[in-house]
Amino acid sequence: MIRINENYQKLKASYLFADIARRVNAYAAAHPDRPVIRLGIGDVTEPLPRACIEALHAATDEMGQRATFRGYGPEQGYAFLREAIAQHDYAARGCEVAPDEIFVSDGAKCDCANIQEIFAQDARLAIPDPVYPVYLDTNVMAGRTGANVDGRYAGITYLDSTPANGYVPAVPPGPADLIYLCFPNNPTGAVATRAQLAAWVAYARENRAILLYDSAYEAYIRDPQIPHSIYEIPGAREVAIEFRSFSKTAGFTGLRCAYTVVPKTLQASDAAGQGQSVHALWNRRHTTKFNGVAYPIQRAAGGGGNAARPAPTPPRNDILKRPPQQKSGGGAPPRAAAAVSPAAGQEQTRALTDFYLGNAKLIREAVQRLGFTCVGGDNAPYIWVNTGRDSWEFFDLLLSRAQVVCTPGAGFGRCGEGHVRISAFNSRENVAAALERIAAALR
Ligand SMILES: Cc1ncc(COP(=O)(O)O)c(C=O)c1O
């Protein structure tokens, strides 16, 4: 009989959010008269910015006309979006990122999951604890770890994020090759200062390591001293890959659009010790395994509803004759763009993140009034509460006494024990009601 990939059997049996859903469903079934408010899973709740919707409609109409219909686009993303990202997300912050160093995809989750496959099987990994589980699980699946013993996989350097270090881990004492970092952090909401990031860049340069920098929540940063991108740190272009997403920035969790930056200056070594371009490897992987994000979605992310339209792509059989890198579809940069544009779209997107940050502030203040210490919520949509007791016990307590769902920290790693994550992704009304209930339940 065909054998399975046994590495999958090393994965911890249950998935955190499935566990939570099971407990919440059981509670809701037993107490139909007590509606539950969910501040657990980090999914957005508010509708898309108007500029994105307009762009989506206009692009959909284009797909219905022979003259403007588009088939396969460039796997790496349309030039209009890559140029808008390079301009508004990077050049505007003084970062050097060229449009062709940006790979548009259907999610930062997939990119963070897939990136490991272009590196050696014996790459030494450093992964934060607590952690967004994708970084860890994908390396377990790929066979880079040993068994899970007491909640930790053999072969990983865990970067503990604890109250003692303000939930921002310092560089490890020993060497690592691939280092996952995420700021603003999920689940803790902690942010890293310029000096802390500079220490990581220096470490990576010294150890010839690569930083995998997940900045999916950068749009929530309000403190002007906090870097939004790892490329704000000098020297990062030689040692860092950055992941970003429109999911939490512009409410695209259902639409799906993200991007990964792989600088052409980034190298990793082959077996002979020769430097190889990581950009070339990722381009090969991306074009082999991915066929591009839907045109209307890319328009919604970066193209304008009333934008100057790029020339339509030639019919599909023309495209198929060309190598993938040469697919057409760049076109003129949009005049009025959506999520990454300078004008209406950007303002509307900012209003969305402001709204969730307003929720986060209410949560943070309420939690502090109850006497808990916490981080996050000021430059991130998550509040990480130090509960001082077992995190699943605290989860059950909030569910049974307040009918509020949070996420038990232990589900994100050993260092998450004693904490819960409260998410600001909900309506103001629900957040206010949840906070009243929590206050009443814990008073
Ligand atoms: C840290 C982090 N990275 C990436 C993602 C995934 O984003 P996307 O919706 O683009 O797949 C999430 C989503 O929750 C996240 O929290």
Side-chain angles (χ1 to χ4, degrees):
M1 193 190 283
I2 177 80
R3 284 183 51 199
I4 59 164
N5 175 352
E6 307 244 354
N7 294 312
Y8 277 60
Q9 295 193 317
K10 295 180 199 157
L11 292 166
K12 282 210 296 175
S14 66
Y15 181 56
L16 170 65
F17 292 106
D19 266 6
I20 293 174
R22 199 173 33 77
R23 291 191 195 208
V24 174
N25 292 342
Y27 181 86
H31 305 91
D33 53 326
R34 295 191 202 163
V36 166
I37 300 178
R38 288 161 210 268
L39 300 180
I41 290 187
D43 195 1
V44 294
T45 54
E46 302 308 296
L48 288 163
R50 203 178 163 71
C52 298
I53 288 295
E54 283 170 2
L56 202 51
H57 279 299
T60 307
D61 287 343
E62 282 179 60
M63 298 295 270
Q65 306 280 333
R66 181 170 298 279
T68 49
F69 168 77
R70 282 159 186 271
Y72 289 121
E75 290 96 339
Q76 302 90 338
Y78 283 100
F80 67 79
L81 179 54
R82 299 169 90 194
E83 280 163 11
I85 292 167
Q87 174 66 36
H88 301 298
D89 288 352
Y90 290 107
R93 293 201 165 273
C95 301
E96 184 196 341
V97 170
D100 65 357
E101 295 177 322
I102 296 164
F103 293 83
V104 176
S105 78
D106 60 354
K109 184 179 198 174
C110 325
D111 290 350
C112 293
N114 292 326
I115 197 76
Q116 46 78 27
E117 75 173 64
I118 64 169
F119 297 105
Q121 190 64 20
D122 61 357
R124 293 164 297 186
L125 303 171
I127 297 185
D129 178 356
V131 71
Y132 176 55
V134 175
Y135 317 147
L136 193 55
D137 288 358
T138 51
N139 279 292
V140 176
M141 291 168 172
R144 286 199 186 82
T145 70
N148 189 312
V149 180
D150 294 335
R152 287 204 157 171
Y153 291 99
I156 302 267
T157 297
Y158 284 89
L159 303 170
D160 290 355
S161 310
T162 64
N165 59 21
Y167 304 96
V168 179
V171 301
D177 302 312
L178 271 185
I179 300 142
Y180 290 81
L181 294 176
C182 173
F183 295 109
N185 189 265
N186 178 14
T188 68
V191 287
T193 62
R194 193 169 296 275
Q196 287 167 325
L197 292 180
W200 276 108
V201 168
Y203 172 90
R205 292 179 73 93
E206 263 166 50
N207 289 276
R208 312 196 69 186
I210 288 184
L211 305 177
L212 301 172
Y213 192 76
D214 185 345
S215 62
Y217 296 95
E218 63 77 30
Y220 289 85
I221 296 172
R222 291 295 178 270
D223 181 342
Q225 301 303 319
I226 301 293
H228 288 236
S229 165
I230 192 71
Y231 304 118
E232 289 179 51
I233 309 300
R237 275 182 59 82
E238 285 74 41
V239 292
I241 291 173
E242 181 160 289
F243 305 96
R244 286 205 180 175
S245 172
F246 292 96
S247 283
K248 311 299 164 75
T249 307
F252 274 48
T253 54
L255 281 189
R256 314 300 306 143
C257 196
Y259 58 90
T260 291
V261 177
V262 188
K264 289 190 173 162
T265 39
L266 184 64
Q267 295 212 327
S269 140
D270 63 17
Q274 198 68 37
Q276 298 290 336
S277 161
V278 175
H279 180 279
L281 285 181
W282 184 246
N283 190 53
R284 189 73 173 87
R285 188 240 159 246
H286 196 75
T287 52
T288 300
K289 296 196 174 182
F290 185 63
N291 240 345
V293 173
Y295 170 68
I297 305 295
Q298 292 194 57
R299 273 287 172 205
N306 305 311
R309 291 279 159 240
T313 40
R316 183 181 154 183
N317 55 0
D318 278 5
I319 288 177
L320 290 176
K321 286 182 201 140
R322 282 182 269 135
Q325 290 85 342
Q326 288 170 26
K327 283 182 187 174
S328 77
R335 270 184 285 126
V340 286
S341 85
Q346 240 187 5
E347 260 172 45
Q348 293 162 16
T349 308
R350 170 92 178 190
L352 252 190
T353 49
D354 276 345
F355 171 78
Y356 292 125
L357 283 169
N359 286 348
K361 183 169 187 284
L362 292 177
I363 297 169
R364 201 179 63 239
E365 288 170 357
V367 161
Q368 285 168 339
R369 270 199 304 276
L370 287 167
F372 295 104
T373 55
C374 62
V375 280
D378 37 9
N379 295 291
Y382 300 120
I383 294 91
W384 187 242
V385 186
N386 191 343
T387 65
R389 58 182 117 170
D390 179 272
S391 67
W392 276 107
E393 190 186 302
F394 194 80
F395 166 90
D396 284 331
L397 182 115
L398 282 197
L399 180 60
S400 60
R401 289 217 211 138
Q403 294 78 51
V404 172
V405 181
C406 63
T407 311
F412 296 106
R414 190 190 279 175
C415 293
E417 188 47 275
H419 296 74
V420 296
R421 186 189 77 175
I422 303 184
S423 156
F425 293 124
N426 215 315
S427 66
R428 186 60 49 84
E429 197 187 356
N430 277 348
V431 167
L435 295 176
E436 268 179 35
R437 290 191 202 171
I438 293 174
L442 298 182
R443 217 172 265 135

